[in-house]
Amino acid sequence: MGMSTVHVKRAFKYRFYPTPEQAAELARTFGCVRKVYNLALAARTEAWTLRQERVNYNATSVMLTAWKKTEDLAYLNEVSSVPLQQALRHLQMAFTHFFAKRARYPRFKSRKKSRRSAEYTTSAFRFREGRLTLAKMAEPLDIVWSRPLPEDAQPSTVTVSQDAAGRWFVSLLVADPAVLPLAANQNAVGVDAGLEHLLTLSTGEKIANPRHERRDRERLAKLQRELSRKARGEGTNRAKARRRVARIHARITDRRRDHLHKLTTRLVRENQTIVIEDLAVRNMVKNRSLARAISDAAWSDFRGLLEYKAAWYGREVIAVDRWFPSSKLCSECGTVRDTMPLNLRIWTCGCGASHDRDVNAAKNLLAAGRAVSACGAGVRPQRESSRTGRSAVKQETHGATRGLPRLQTGKDVNDCSLTSRPRLRR
């Protein structure tokens, strides 16, 4: 039985170089998009605060028409209306996520700090023979086609953006028929994330941490000092200094993203099941001594890339509960150590088995993931009630050991009775 084609919506991002006229038009569009978003957010917030009234997308769309007719906001008519309508749809989606408790309350967009972008739908752009022309523009964008689009691809949306380093990008969302589920195999791997080694696999392989930020730290610090000496305001010199700092950050981000893409693609291609730990990265970066290293490791980005690629290619990603004591559990006999100091990287269990701390943790994650797959529930060991008000963090990133979750000594991680309080994985 052959594999069916999966029409995946996929974004292809390219860099482009606008003419001065195109750059000015896009800058106006970015400003109008930000203004409309903030006006709509203010209106929705006021309606709920004062009248307990929920304002939806349709109501804000009517407001937009009225705003355009006022003298103060007449400039909104100078740009394409489609990006403005899309800004209202994005705000509606932000509120949907907020009410579903998947995100925080929407925040106002800042002129200096928020992402500069605008989204165009099919009625606001023309794409023919590899030439993309946006509404209100006479000439197509000068795009660097660094990789080909799928054959006969027709974008459904086009997003234009400019990053803090001043680079311009265009992202085309197309249906990619070339994405096929990979042939199923029996391979499964546990992945333990760390700082000394970025990833440790249950096979014993350790993937080095490139530490991209550290490579440019000296140069970045110098440019940041220069920026701090510039007078605050809208001066040209300060803008140039800010852009130089942004270029360093962009280079770090690009290298980190490229490395994570290669790692996740390899893991998805080689393994049918990938087991990871459900880390609370947002809580972990509150540790000031490790925040920079944790951010540079980009564990959240790694998980995001891994999950969407697994969904594309028919693989399974299992997230084991962060309270699972993977480092302290002997993968041979199931005994749990009372303590595990951070400087103890190799240890010997009472059964005689000698363990590398990270490899042992990866093996335990794999075994726990198989238990999750077999039982259909998350691995959530019993923890002391006094810790219910405290956020969980990865044991390897701090020295606190008091009140760590415990399992009954001698229990096999493949035994379904391990889960004292089953919880579906996210």
Side-chain angles (χ1 to χ4, degrees):
M1 182 175 177
M3 294 180 294
S4 59
T5 301
V6 179
H7 292 277
V8 172
K9 283 287 187 178
R10 186 174 182 181
F12 288 78
K13 190 174 182 179
Y14 303 94
R15 190 169 179 181
F16 75 97
Y17 297 87
T19 63
E21 294 77 15
Q22 290 174 337
E25 175 63 31
L26 289 173
R28 283 194 297 269
T29 302
F30 294 159
C32 291
V33 165
R34 183 181 63 254
K35 182 67 174 180
V36 168
Y37 186 95
N38 289 342
L39 286 172
L41 176 55
R44 295 181 68 145
T45 302
E46 180 181 355
W48 177 256
T49 303
L50 300 181
R51 302 182 297 275
Q52 298 294 297
E53 174 187 351
R54 286 192 180 184
V55 177
N56 58 18
Y57 162 76
N58 293 331
T60 55
S61 183
V62 173
M63 291 179 186
L64 175 58
T65 303
W67 292 333
K68 289 183 176 181
K69 296 178 180 179
T70 64
E71 183 178 353
D72 293 339
L73 299 175
Y75 61 86
L76 295 178
N77 294 288
E78 299 176 3
V79 302
S80 172
S81 62
V82 172
L84 306 185
Q85 293 288 347
Q86 291 301 101
L88 298 180
R89 290 189 174 93
H90 293 164
L91 179 61
Q92 177 64 38
M93 184 60 65
F95 271 102
T96 299
H97 290 316
F98 167 72
F99 288 123
K101 298 182 179 180
R102 293 191 296 265
R104 298 179 179 180
Y105 192 83
R107 293 179 293 181
F108 291 97
K109 292 184 179 294
S110 166
R111 183 170 64 88
K112 293 183 178 180
K113 297 181 180 180
S114 297
R115 181 172 180 260
R116 294 161 55 86
S117 66
E119 185 177 271
Y120 296 78
T121 57
T122 52
S123 61
F125 68 83
R126 182 173 66 253
F127 184 72
R128 295 177 183 172
E129 299 178 354
R131 296 167 67 86
L132 176 66
T133 307
L134 302 178
K136 302 287 185 177
M137 294 185 185
E139 300 178 1
L141 300 180
D142 182 14
I143 301 175
V144 179
W145 299 101
S146 52
R147 55 174 174 166
L149 283 171
E151 188 175 355
D152 300 327
Q154 288 298 321
S156 57
T157 62
V158 168
T159 302
V160 181
S161 61
Q162 185 184 27
D163 66 8
R167 303 179 301 177
W168 295 85
F169 296 95
V170 59
S171 180
L172 293 81
L173 186 66
V174 301
D176 188 1
V179 176
L180 296 173
L182 297 172
N185 60 50
Q186 301 300 317
N187 298 336
V189 67
V191 180
D192 180 66
L195 296 179
E196 183 66 27
H197 294 91
L198 182 62
L199 301 176
T200 301
L201 309 185
S202 55
T203 58
E205 179 184 357
K206 294 188 176 183
I207 298 172
N209 186 355
R211 303 182 188 274
H212 298 289
E213 185 270 341
R214 179 179 291 182
R215 292 169 57 184
D216 284 320
R217 185 174 297 175
E218 184 176 345
R219 172 68 173 164
L220 181 60
K222 178 182 178 181
L223 294 177
Q224 286 175 330
R225 286 195 298 271
E226 293 178 359
L227 174 61
S228 68
R229 297 189 188 106
K230 306 299 181 183
R232 292 186 177 275
E234 299 298 328
T236 303
N237 288 338
R238 185 173 179 83
K240 290 180 180 178
R242 185 187 302 115
R243 197 154 41 243
R244 284 194 290 268
V245 172
R247 289 195 188 105
I248 298 294
H249 281 297
R251 187 166 65 202
I252 294 171
T253 301
D254 290 346
R255 286 201 296 247
R256 180 189 298 129
R257 193 81 173 173
D258 178 70
H259 185 246
L260 291 178
H261 267 296
K262 292 174 180 176
L263 280 180
T264 52
T265 297
R266 176 200 153 189
L267 289 173
V268 168
R269 290 188 181 279
E270 294 178 354
N271 302 280
Q272 182 67 33
T273 303
I274 304 165
V275 185
I276 60 177
E277 189 175 3
D278 183 20
L279 300 176
V281 179
R282 180 176 294 178
N283 295 331
M284 296 163 64
V285 295
K286 295 178 182 178
N287 184 333
R288 293 187 178 183
S289 62
L290 293 171
R292 173 180 282 179
I294 293 173
S295 298
D296 192 29
W299 294 331
S300 294
D301 290 346
F302 167 76
R303 177 172 177 174
L305 295 175
L306 192 66
E307 287 180 339
Y308 87 71
K309 290 179 182 181
W312 279 4
Y313 298 109
R315 303 309 201 195
E316 183 182 19
V317 175
I318 299 175
V320 174
D321 192 281
R322 67 189 62 136
W323 291 103
F324 180 64
S326 56
S327 296
K328 300 196 300 178
L329 178 68
C330 175
S331 58
E332 296 293 333
C333 68
T335 301
V336 182
R337 289 176 61 102
D338 291 333
T339 60
M340 179 69 71
L342 291 178
N343 60 355
L344 185 60
R345 310 313 299 179
I346 298 178
W347 58 281
T348 302
C349 179
C351 67
S354 180
H355 298 294
D356 178 287
R357 180 192 184 107
D358 298 330
V359 175
N360 177 66
K363 290 180 179 179
N364 286 326
L365 289 174
L366 175 58
R370 285 173 170 162
V372 170
S373 182
C375 304
V379 177
R380 187 181 181 86
Q382 182 67 39
R383 65 175 183 263
E384 297 178 12
S385 58
S386 60
R387 290 182 56 89
T388 55
R390 182 177 172 184
S391 300
V393 297
K394 187 175 176 63
Q395 297 176 34
E396 279 71 10
T397 60
H398 66 88
T401 56
R402 184 185 59 178
L404 287 173
R406 301 174 183 275
L407 294 176
Q408 295 181 15
T409 302
K411 282 286 185 179
D412 187 348
V413 291
N414 289 304
D415 185 358
C416 294
S417 63
L418 170 71
T419 31
S420 58
R421 287 178 20 183
R423 186 181 71 171
L424 293 177
R425 65 183 177 88
R426 301 171 191 170

